C-alpha cells in the first residue's frame, strides 16, 4: 500500500515543496481532515473514486474526483464528463486494489495512469494557487500539505464543472438532517 513516505519520496524526486503533517487524531476518511487540522473544508481536498461502465458493454474503469472535504459531487456530472454508461461509488476493496491507497484516504497523486482524474472547476478557481491545501496520504495519522498549484499540476486532473448549486450535497449537511 502507498503511504506518506511513498508520496514524500516522489515529491522529493520532483523537488516539490510539501509537508507531511502528523495528525493529532487518527481519521477514518479524508472528510475528517478539516476537523483534525482545524481548517475550513475548502482547504482540505478529498479524492472520491467511482466505478464506471463504459458505453461499450463490458469495459469497466475507475475515475477519481477531487473535491473539498464533505462535498459529494453529482454522479450524473461525473458520468457525462467521462462518457460512462453507468457510475457508482467504487467498492473499498476495488479502491484498495487499483489505487494502492486505503479506501477513503486516497491521495490524488501517484494514481494509475489508466484512471482518469477530475477536479471541480470551482475548487481550482476558488483557491489562490499559492495557498496550501491538505489531502490524505493513504494513512489515518498523516496528511499532505502542498501548494494548490503544485497539487493541481502534479495530479494531472482535468477541471470539470461539477457544481450544480442545489444538487451538490455536503455530507455534513446530510448527517445533520438524519
Amino acid at each position: 500500500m502507498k503511504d506518506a513516505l511513498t508520496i514524500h519520496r516522489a515529491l522529493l524526486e520532483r523537488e516539490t515543496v510539501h509537508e507531511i503533517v502528523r495528525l493529532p487524531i487518527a481519521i477514518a476518511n479524508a472528510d475528517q481532515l478539516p476537523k483534525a487540522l482545524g481548517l475550513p473544508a475548502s482547504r482540505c481536498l478529498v479524492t472520491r473514486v467511482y466505478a464506471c461502465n463504459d458505453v461499450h458493454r463490458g469495459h469497466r474503469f475507475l475515475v477519481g474526483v477531487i473535491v473539498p472535504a464533505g462535498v459529494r459531487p453529482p454522479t450524473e456530472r461525473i458520468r457525462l464528463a467521462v462518457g460512462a454508461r453507468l457510475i457508482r461509488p467504487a467498492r473499498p476493496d476495488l479502491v484498495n486494489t487499483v489505487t494502492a491507497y486505503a479506501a477513503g484516504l486516497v491521495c490524488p497523486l501517484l494514481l494509475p495512469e489508466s484512471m482518469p482524474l477530475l477536479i471541480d472547476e470551482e475548487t481550482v478557481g476558488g483557491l489562490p494557487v499559492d495557498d496550501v491545501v491538505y489531502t490524505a496520504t493513504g494513512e489515518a495519522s498523516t496528511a499532505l500539505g502542498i501548494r494548490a498549484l503544485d497539487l493541481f499540476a502534479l495530479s494531472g486532473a482535468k477541471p470539470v464543472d461539477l457544481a450544480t448549486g442545489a444538487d451538490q450535497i455536503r455530507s455534513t449537511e446530510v448527517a445533520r438532517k438524519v
Side-chain angles (χ1 to χ4, degrees):
M1 295 293 279
K2 294 177 191 161
D3 58 11
L5 185 58
T6 307
I7 296 165
H8 176 65
R9 287 180 177 152
L11 292 172
L12 284 177
E13 285 178 15
R14 293 180 175 268
E15 298 181 1
T16 302
V17 176
H18 67 284
E19 176 184 18
I20 301 295
V21 178
R22 175 126 343 250
L23 300 175
I25 58 170
I27 59 173
N29 61 62
D31 286 319
Q32 297 171 338
L33 279 172
K35 182 179 178 184
L37 293 168
L39 292 171
S42 62
R43 298 258 321 271
C44 300
L45 302 180
V46 175
T47 304
R48 305 218 183 275
V49 181
Y50 297 88
C52 302
N53 288 347
D54 201 345
V55 290
H56 306 291
R57 296 194 185 272
H59 183 262
R60 295 180 179 165
F61 63 97
L62 295 184
V63 62
V65 182
I66 304 169
V67 293
V71 172
R72 301 256 179 221
T75 54
E76 181 63 12
R77 291 283 184 128
I78 301 165
R79 185 188 72 74
L80 292 171
V82 296
R85 185 172 49 89
L86 297 172
I87 186 169
R88 66 184 175 283
R91 294 184 333 266
D93 62 319
L94 185 59
V95 173
N96 294 348
T97 301
V98 174
T99 68
Y101 286 113
L105 297 170
V106 175
C107 180
L109 304 176
L110 305 177
L111 293 171
E113 287 186 27
S114 61
M115 185 175 148
L117 189 60
L118 308 176
I119 188 165
D120 185 17
E121 281 180 352
E122 192 173 299
T123 301
V124 175
L127 283 170
V129 292
D130 285 331
D131 272 10
V132 173
V133 293
Y134 295 85
T135 188
T137 63
E139 295 177 353
S141 60
T142 61
L144 168 66
I146 187 169
R147 282 182 349 136
L149 180 65
D150 291 334
L151 181 71
F152 301 155
L154 292 172
S155 70
K158 175 185 171 189
V160 175
D161 180 13
L162 297 176
T164 61
D167 291 351
Q168 198 165 35
I169 300 170
R170 290 194 173 272
S171 60
T172 53
E173 293 170 359
V174 171
R176 276 190 234 131
K177 291 177 184 176
V178 174

